Amino acid sequence: ARRVAPDMNPLAVVATALWVMLPAYVPNNAAVLAGGGRPIDAGRTLGGRRLLGDGKTWRGTAVGVAAGALLALALDAVRPAASAALGVSLPWFPLAAVVALPAGAMLGDILASFVKRRTGRERGASFPLLDQLDFVVVALALTALSAPEWFAATFTLPVLLAILVLTPVLHVTTNVGAYYLGYKEEPW
Ligand code: CTP
Ligand code: K
Ligand code: MG
């Protein structure tokens, strides 16, 4: 029988996609738990609307980036054990990716709020697809710029496709969960 190429094995693709994106997924949730305090835009407006709004705070952003970076370091520490358990060669995070994945995720979320305010949406309003993919696109872009060789080796086409499909599903699931647990004002 023909051997399936290792990176085409569906388990390997999905496990790799989730593993590499965890440091970009966690910052949003950490920011929700840590949010509050001074808004980044300090109340400034543009064209009569808030630049970013009260939903983007320094504390939420700092805690979000720190949580994602710490998680990446923790994943690096348990990678050999996790790879052996799954029978998948999971990738490690170089220092540039440890920072770029969570920082890009928070930056994407902030840019999305900027776009939401410019298009007349109040804080908390939903913007389908932008809400679910803003942080992924910018996390990937910043990682590609910060660690280009690692990015090219890790984010193969199947892994990128898995991320594109799995992220909105996970994002909606965790946000609906956070909403029902009372941590989030809206289920998106
Ligand atoms: N949060 C934060 N700082 C960030 C991102 C999020 O403090 N950089 C916190 C805020 O308390 C925010 C909550 O997490 O209200 C939920 O995040 P999000 O849904 O991204 O913000 P919204 O309040 O919905 O505001 P926006 O419409 O601008 O997205
Ligand atoms: K958001
Ligand atoms: Mg929101």
Side-chain angles (χ1 to χ4, degrees):
R2 196 169 58 89
R3 249 185 105 257
V4 179
D7 63 338
M8 293 304 290
N9 165 343
L11 170 70
V13 169
V14 169
T16 302
L18 293 177
W19 186 268
V20 288
M21 290 311 284
L22 270 172
Y25 289 154
V26 159
N28 286 283
N29 301 302
V32 170
L33 297 179
R38 289 196 332 120
I40 294 171
D41 69 7
R44 275 189 280 271
T45 58
L46 178 65
R49 292 187 179 276
R50 286 289 293 275
L51 209 55
L52 302 173
D54 285 332
K56 304 298 117 150
T57 69
W58 289 109
R59 193 168 80 205
T61 307
V63 171
V65 174
L70 285 175
L71 179 64
L73 293 174
L75 291 178
D76 272 347
V78 301
R79 186 184 69 92
S83 296
L86 289 171
V88 171
S89 169
L90 294 165
W92 63 286
F93 298 95
L95 215 52
V98 166
V99 177
L101 284 165
M106 286 279 85
L107 182 61
D109 181 54
I110 289 168
L111 290 174
S113 289
F114 181 82
V115 171
K116 287 190 202 175
R117 301 300 93 84
R118 304 288 74 72
T119 54
R121 289 170 170 81
E122 298 295 340
R123 173 192 179 181
S126 82
F127 196 146
L129 284 182
L130 186 71
D131 278 330
Q132 287 79 41
L133 289 170
D134 52 14
F135 62 102
V136 184
V137 172
V138 181
L140 291 180
L142 200 62
T143 305
L145 287 173
S146 314
E149 284 175 25
W150 180 78
F151 182 87
T154 308
F155 292 86
T156 59
L157 199 57
V159 169
L160 282 174
L161 286 175
I163 290 168
L164 220 59
V165 173
L166 291 172
T167 301
V169 176
L170 279 172
H171 191 258
V172 168
T173 313
T174 55
N175 282 347
V176 169
Y179 171 74
Y180 281 109
L181 289 172
Y183 291 120
K184 216 170 178 303
E185 307 263 334
E186 307 86 17
W188 44 76

